[in-house]
Amino acid sequence: MNLALWIAAGLLAAVALVGGITKTFVPKERLAAQHGGEWTRNAGVGFVKTLGVLELLAAVGLVLPAALDIAPVMVPVTALCWILLMVGAMVTHGRLGQFKLVMVNSVYLLLAAFIVGGHIAA
């Protein structure tokens, strides 16, 4: 189970890292032009960058506390926060009719729920 939790956390951290880098460093106009980036058209630059920073922090929080054995309780807390972020993403993409992205976000949500549940059971 421990190995499965590490793999799940690593995968989710990689997703968060890529999303965070993209939202933080790619201009909003370029994001809006990409498939699935339509949500950024009506969002402020600060909001998009804030989401990017939160995703970067999630990437760190999903791996580093357990790897360093410093406050490992932060891993399931971060995963729980990721669940909340994915609910918001699913609502946003659902309103835009982007149901494939809703399904992708639901997979990320389930992965995070596995991490939370695995750490609670341990």
Side-chain angles (χ1 to χ4, degrees), residues 47-105:
F47 179 73
V48 175
K49 301 258 185 240
T50 300
L51 286 177
V53 169
L54 289 174
E55 289 183 15
L56 291 172
L57 291 172
V60 171
L62 285 165
V63 176
L64 207 55
L68 298 177
D69 198 29
I70 299 173
V73 71
M74 290 308 296
V75 174
V77 170
T78 303
L80 187 61
C81 292
W82 184 264
I83 290 171
L84 297 175
L85 187 66
M86 288 302 101
V87 168
M90 291 166 67
V91 168
T92 300
H93 290 300
R95 286 184 180 164
L96 293 172
Q98 300 170 329
F99 299 110
K100 286 183 182 178
L101 292 174
V102 171
M103 293 308 296
V104 170
N105 292 136

Side-chain angles (χ1 to χ4, degrees), residues 28 38-44 96:
K28 185 182 118 166
E38 292 87 6
W39 67 271
T40 60
R41 286 192 188 115
N42 297 324
L96 293 172

Side-chain angles (χ1 to χ4, degrees), residues 2-16 58-59 61-64 66 75 79 111-112 114-115 119:
N2 195 30
L3 179 61
L5 288 172
W6 272 106
I7 291 170
L11 287 172
L12 205 55
V15 167
L62 285 165
V63 176
L64 207 55
V75 174
L111 202 55
F114 171 73
I115 295 168
H119 281 277

